[in-house]
Amino acid sequence: MRGAARYGIEHELALLYPDGSLADFAVLTHDAVAAIVDELPDFPDGQRDLRIGDAGIRRKHWYAEGYERLGDDGELARFDPKGIEIRTAVHDSAAAAGAALTAAASRLAEVARRHGLRPVAVGHHPLRSSYRLDPPPNAHERALMASSPEERTAPLHMVTWGPDLNLSFPGAGTDPAVLADAAAKLTHYSPYLVPWSFSSPFRDGRPWGGLSARTFRRTGLRPAALAYLEPGAPLLPTDPSLVRHAGIPGEIGRIEFKAFDAVPVIEGEEPAAGCGTGLPGALLSLLTGLLRDGTLPGRRRTPDPAAHRRSALLGWTDAAVRAGSRAVLAAAETALRAEPDHAGGLALLRERLERRDTPAARMLDRYRSGGGIAGVAP
């Protein structure tokens, strides 16, 4: 992909109560989340490239994230929240998108604190492995769930958190084949991209044996990457989807990477000391370099479940996973040699890789030292 790139970030966060327990869909109400969002400012000029949605929940840069239960008439009947999502406007650099996210996350943390809640970046629910639709889906909801692979597996997202990192290259055009190829490249190399973000070493109240329960459970059922095409463009029949039609004009040409675990943006979101910040912008640089690279040949229309599970279980302790991560990082560094604005982010990723340093590893170290599990009250 050539030409100037544009960037946006969507950042999902879980919420903790003062006692350290997770404020999840079983106890958290939409009103409680709405009270936080209501205190946050409107940014009407920043909404040109952002979708609001039929229910009107996504009317700000912060909104309640969760599951919409619909009535027989298709109208919103109930909203079960799993946390709060932040989304930035579209920016002309990865650094600017990262800075906008940091500012929004800091403001959210300040307001949430007044409501007795703290945002935290974890990839998988530390206690629950499923979200049960109660009551069971009605006819309208069943029809919606049958409309796409993503709608069918939507309940799974209620026990996971992760960012959507969005890139577009306006000068490269909107050819569906080019966009699908970009998404297929990210999908192929996803098992080697995701370890930088791993933040879900706990499940069902204990270590599950790996580093990313989110990756292990959902990648393959849900997309690693999506490309957004002009309405009316032909769609590839894949399960999960690789391409979909844009819902608003600002989405046309967008390439969205969806497979990372949630990563901290500000220090207060850290699930364990030392996880560090700056990862979202660095990962945007990595994706940019991988899409600019012309040497790596791999393409997949659907994620490789076995490769993702190996990566989720072993991370960089596995020589093949480590080699794959080194290869994508080296390709990105070479492709971005003439774009020095990306150098700092890529250096951060190289340092993390060489030290095999992930949020999940730090969370496990904290647990083994008696520090407990983020989201589980002591």
Side-chain angles (χ1 to χ4, degrees), residues 277-348:
T277 58
L279 268 178
L283 293 171
L284 277 173
S285 291
L286 178 62
L287 298 177
T288 304
L290 190 55
L291 291 179
R292 293 213 191 283
D293 161 72
T295 66
L296 295 179
R299 302 292 189 275
R300 276 190 67 97
R301 290 187 174 184
T302 57
D304 182 338
H308 280 92
R309 287 174 187 146
R310 183 183 185 91
S311 182
L313 183 64
L314 301 172
W316 288 323
T317 65
D318 181 80
V321 175
R322 197 163 62 249
S325 294
R326 284 178 174 153
V328 296
L329 179 57
E333 289 170 332
T334 300
L336 294 174
R337 207 169 271 162
E339 299 181 56
D341 287 351
H342 293 289
L346 297 178
L348 170 65

Side-chain angles (χ1 to χ4, degrees), residues 149-150 176-177 179-188 223-229 235-244 254-256 300-303:
E150 289 67 60
L179 293 170
D181 183 73
K185 185 174 188 180
L186 295 184
T187 297
H188 177 89
L226 279 171
Y228 288 80
L229 312 182
L235 297 179
L236 297 170
T238 62
D239 188 346
S241 300
L242 183 71
V243 297
R244 65 171 53 162
R254 180 178 297 175
I255 302 157
E256 185 175 80
R300 276 190 67 97
R301 290 187 174 184
T302 57

Side-chain angles (χ1 to χ4, degrees), residues 11-38:
H11 180 50
E12 287 185 336
L13 291 162
L15 295 168
L16 302 185
Y17 288 120
D19 67 357
S21 63
L22 197 72
D24 69 357
F25 51 82
V27 291
L28 187 64
T29 66
H30 179 256
D31 287 347
V33 181
I36 297 172
V37 174
D38 286 345

Side-chain angles (χ1 to χ4, degrees), residues 174-237:
T174 58
D175 183 334
V178 172
L179 293 170
D181 183 73
K185 185 174 188 180
L186 295 184
T187 297
H188 177 89
Y189 291 104
S190 174
Y192 313 116
L193 296 170
V194 291
W196 275 282
S197 72
F198 285 165
S199 66
S200 47
F202 304 113
R203 176 183 165 192
D204 301 322
R206 60 186 181 275
W208 68 275
L211 299 171
S212 178
R214 181 186 193 272
T215 299
F216 194 90
R217 297 191 65 216
R218 77 176 249 161
T219 308
L221 296 174
R222 295 182 67 77
L226 279 171
Y228 288 80
L229 312 182
E230 293 179 341
L235 297 179
L236 297 170

